[in-house]
Amino acid sequence: FAGLLSPLVEEFIFRGLLYPMLKKYVGVFWGCVFSSLLFSYIHDNVLSFTLLFLFSVYLTYLYEKNNNLLIPIASHAFFNIIMLTLMLIDAF
């Protein structure tokens, strides 16, 4: 779920819906900042807030550069799978 479905849903919401709407009204920079802040906030983890914010900025950059939602979805899924793998390794 976290590795594949969450990135699909989150990217659709944040890069597919929210960011384009914000970009239309406040521009690329502030659209990216506001959507990335919200992306970080919904993950409800103070310790990873900055990392998630920067990751969201990167995903927005990928979306802007490629004009394709599949690229940030794949990058997000890869990131989540790596993080889950590291958490599993750390558990043992």
Side-chain angles (χ1 to χ4, degrees), residues 10-11 14-15 19 22 28-62 76 79:
E10 289 178 4
E11 291 308 311
F14 287 96
R15 253 62 63 192
Y19 169 70
L22 288 168
V28 171
F29 178 80
W30 289 111
C32 178
V33 169
F34 292 144
S35 63
S36 295
L37 284 171
L38 187 57
F39 177 84
S40 303
Y41 178 76
I42 63 123
H43 285 86
D44 198 31
N45 187 331
V46 174
L47 296 176
S48 64
F49 187 89
T50 302
L51 173 65
L52 290 169
F53 175 80
L54 294 173
F55 182 57
S56 181
V57 168
Y58 173 69
L59 293 171
T60 305
Y61 165 77
L62 290 177
H76 192 157
F79 177 82

Side-chain angles (χ1 to χ4, degrees), residues 63-78:
Y63 176 71
E64 273 294 316
K65 182 179 178 198
N66 297 289
N67 198 30
N68 185 335
L69 201 52
L70 292 176
I71 306 298
I73 290 170
S75 297
H76 192 157
F78 181 72

Side-chain angles (χ1 to χ4, degrees), residues 1-26:
F1 179 80
L4 300 174
L5 187 58
S6 290
L8 183 69
V9 171
E10 289 178 4
E11 291 308 311
F12 178 73
I13 292 169
F14 287 96
R15 253 62 63 192
L17 297 174
L18 182 62
Y19 169 70
M21 182 185 69
L22 288 168
K23 180 173 88 165
K24 181 178 175 182
Y25 293 102
V26 297

